[in-house]
Amino acid sequence: QVQLVESGGDLVQPGGSLRLSCVASGSSFSLSTMGWYRQAPGKQRELVADITKSGTTTYADSVKGRFTISRDNTKKTVYLQMNSLKPEDTAVYYCSQYFIGRTWGQGTQVTVSS
């Protein structure tokens, strides 16, 4: 059974940067589309960015030019580099693996505040 463990969430000032990491177990990582989603209080979970097995990336309009998703198949890890953070980026960030079915991580809190 696949497990995803996120890390890297923190409290950061506006304009700051964070890098989130998500380590996956199991043997299907390299075949999977990996994604980062976020959910702010009172809002629905939304896609932030995803990356296919071939490296094609997709970003939400709100993060284009500020966030970068990447993956390292040898480490079974997906990253989300977040720059120029804004208060509206505050949310719980979830890692997702899609291969036949979807698996979610437990989430990591990102808070952007002065």
Side-chain angles (χ1 to χ4, degrees):
Q1 184 175 352
V2 173
Q3 287 188 321
L4 304 173
V5 179
E6 302 106 328
S7 62
D10 206 346
L11 170 64
V12 63
Q13 291 187 343
S17 297
L18 282 176
R19 188 175 82 155
L20 305 183
S21 300
C22 171
V23 180
S25 63
S27 58
S28 59
F29 181 87
S30 63
L31 303 176
S32 303
T33 291
M34 300 300 298
W36 286 98
Y37 290 71
R38 67 186 180 188
Q39 187 166 18
K43 295 188 176 181
Q44 289 189 330
R45 191 172 297 187
E46 63 176 1
L47 174 69
V48 176
D50 66 18
I51 182 166
T52 67
K53 62 181 181 180
S54 60
T56 301
T57 57
T58 303
Y59 294 93
D61 287 344
S62 59
V63 307
K64 282 181 182 177
R66 300 188 298 123
F67 291 10
T68 302
I69 189 171
S70 61
R71 66 191 296 163
D72 184 337
N73 289 342
T74 63
K75 296 181 179 179
K76 297 183 182 180
T77 302
V78 62
Y79 304 97
L80 185 68
Q81 178 67 43
M82 305 186 294
N83 299 327
S84 302
L85 283 160
K86 305 175 181 180
E88 51 264 43
D89 295 317
T90 295
V92 178
Y93 284 70
Y94 296 91
C95 177
S96 167
Q97 178 172 352
Y98 183 78
F99 178 70
I100 301 177
R102 188 176 298 280
T103 301
W104 295 97
Q106 82 287 352
T108 185
Q109 176 71 47
V110 172
T111 302
V112 184
S113 175
S114 54

